[in-house]
Amino acid sequence: QVQPVESGGGLVQAGGSLRLSCAASGRTFSDYHMGWFRQAPGKEREFVASISSSGDSTSHADSVKGRFTISRDNAKNTVYLQMDSLTPENTAVYYCTARRWLAVTVDTNKNYWGQGTQVTVSS
């Protein structure tokens, strides 16, 4: 079992960058596929990016491809989301999620979730 804890959110101007981090407790972090979702005000939660347990496979939503990059460091039990060229449309609460042995996009109700970190992009 892991408990994701996000950090790195904040206020940034359009065109700027932020790097989110997600530290996950537990000794079996390398068993877990990890990912990021986000939820903007008045909208449903949506997929942003995911990474396999070994880190050799990643997936990014079309809306963030080329601007956001997910990565992980299994030695530090941490997953990252580098966000570049931010726009006001990227304003949302960003959630880190984990799933053991399965992709985080499969039946998300069974994932472990962090509390979220607010990202606000001003125009």
Side-chain angles (χ1 to χ4, degrees):
Q1 184 170 339
V2 295
Q3 179 56 56
V5 178
E6 304 94 339
S7 62
L11 174 64
V12 63
Q13 288 188 331
S17 298
L18 279 176
R19 188 176 80 155
L20 304 183
S21 299
C22 173
S25 61
R27 293 178 293 178
T28 57
F29 179 74
S30 59
D31 288 347
Y32 287 80
H33 295 253
M34 303 294 294
W36 292 91
F37 285 69
R38 67 186 179 188
Q39 188 166 20
K43 295 187 177 181
E44 294 187 353
R45 186 174 61 192
E46 64 174 359
F47 169 76
V48 176
S50 63
I51 188 166
S52 62
S53 56
S54 64
D56 60 358
S57 178
T58 63
S59 178
H60 296 79
D62 287 343
S63 60
V64 306
K65 279 182 182 177
R67 299 188 299 119
F68 291 14
T69 303
I70 191 171
S71 62
R72 69 188 293 162
D73 185 339
N74 283 353
K76 295 182 178 180
N77 281 21
T78 302
V79 62
Y80 305 97
L81 184 68
Q82 178 66 41
M83 305 187 295
D84 298 319
S85 301
L86 285 161
T87 71
E89 289 69 33
N90 300 135
T91 295
V93 178
Y94 284 71
Y95 296 92
C96 179
T97 189
R99 183 73 177 276
R100 196 173 191 186
W101 297 322
L102 286 176
V104 295
T105 52
V106 176
D107 192 2
T108 58
N109 289 331
K110 296 184 178 180
N111 291 3
Y112 296 100
W113 293 90
Q115 292 300 306
T117 186
Q118 177 71 46
V119 172
T120 302
V121 184
S122 62
S123 57

